[in-house]
Amino acid sequence: MSTLDLARINAELGRDAPGLVKWALGLNQAPIVTTNFRPFEAVILHLVTRVQPDVPVIWMDNGYNTEATYRYADEVTRLLGLNLRIYLPLRSRAHREAVDGPVPALHEPRHAAFTEEVKLEPFARALRETAPKVWFTALRATDSAVRAQMDPVSINPDGLIKVAPLLHWTSRDLHQYCEAHDLPNNFDYVDPTKGEEQRECGLHLAH
């Protein structure tokens, strides 16, 4: 898919989320959409599944989510009929904490290994098992400095077409979409691999 005219696609569809989703699914390449069920995640899941209901939805459940997040995941999965595939770390949270202790602080050398275990390795496993060509993600330019430099459509070094239909959306845009489509939301969310609001978790640095 290296023949894609990314500059033209980003210029024409970069701010047209529904149009970008339809274009990407229209490539007829195996897609996935990743989610962590953070605030407003129902938006990307609704946008993609109303075009292709059976698209695999990949959730790397790190085991440290809030109770509200787990309830939200179940609610959105049921509401949208998601083809949800949950990828867990190879060790349970109880096992990890018994051996290694609680979540390491950001400045600790062990934090990189923690992120690898609970997020990056499960995602690598998901990629091997689903073998996607198109990856939908809900990342937004306001999330971090790294994401502010991204384009709505890019091609990873491994050839995976990465599509971020919501890149230029504001929280207000997302809220209005949820209101218009009667979608639930979740604000009780914590990502133990980030630790700070604007810190990049590593997934979009590695991929």
Side-chain angles (χ1 to χ4, degrees):
M1 303 300 290
S2 58
T3 57
L4 290 176
D5 185 347
L6 293 182
R8 181 184 63 80
I9 295 162
N10 282 312
E12 293 181 0
L13 297 174
R15 294 180 181 272
D16 175 7
L20 191 56
V21 169
K22 288 179 181 177
W23 167 83
L25 290 174
L27 295 171
N28 293 317
Q29 301 289 320
I32 60 168
V33 54
T34 51
T35 185
N36 48 17
F37 293 105
R38 68 172 181 164
F40 300 114
E41 283 292 284
V43 175
I44 186 70
L45 298 171
H46 183 266
L47 276 169
V48 174
T49 59
R50 71 176 183 174
V51 179
Q52 184 174 329
D54 65 346
V55 63
V57 176
I58 307 300
W59 181 24
M60 283 77 70
D61 175 10
N62 55 48
Y64 290 82
N65 288 294
T66 64
E67 290 183 8
T69 298
Y70 286 113
R71 288 193 294 266
Y72 178 63
D74 281 2
E75 182 181 7
V76 174
T77 298
R78 186 170 56 251
L79 181 67
L80 300 181
L82 299 181
N83 177 16
L84 183 65
R85 304 185 186 184
I86 302 174
Y87 284 82
L88 301 167
L90 296 178
R91 288 192 299 176
S92 69
R93 175 176 175 175
H95 184 171
R96 186 181 313 107
E97 292 189 345
V99 176
D100 297 336
V103 176
L106 293 181
H107 65 272
E108 292 186 47
R110 293 188 302 118
H111 197 275
F114 172 77
T115 299
E116 172 68 29
E117 181 177 359
V118 304
K119 180 172 286 187
L120 302 184
E121 188 282 329
F123 185 52
R125 205 175 341 127
L127 291 179
R128 288 195 303 272
E129 293 184 7
T130 59
K133 300 297 183 184
V134 174
W135 169 22
F136 289 99
T137 170
L139 61 79
R140 293 161 55 208
T142 55
D143 289 339
S144 70
V146 169
R147 299 179 187 192
Q149 303 302 313
M150 293 180 175
D151 289 318
V153 181
S154 58
I155 299 181
N156 290 356
D158 58 6
L160 190 60
I161 302 169
K162 187 174 180 177
V163 184
L166 307 178
L167 189 69
H168 298 303
W169 283 37
T170 65
S171 293
R172 181 182 177 85
D173 295 331
L174 295 166
H175 174 73
Q176 290 177 339
Y177 189 96
C178 287
E179 291 279 298
H181 297 280
D182 199 23
L183 297 173
N185 213 344
N186 168 47
F187 291 103
D188 185 4
Y189 172 78
V190 176
D191 183 345
T193 66
K194 290 183 70 169
E196 298 171 355
E197 184 68 21
Q198 291 284 315
R199 183 176 181 273
E200 189 56 59
C201 67
L203 188 65
H204 295 282
L205 295 176
H207 298 278

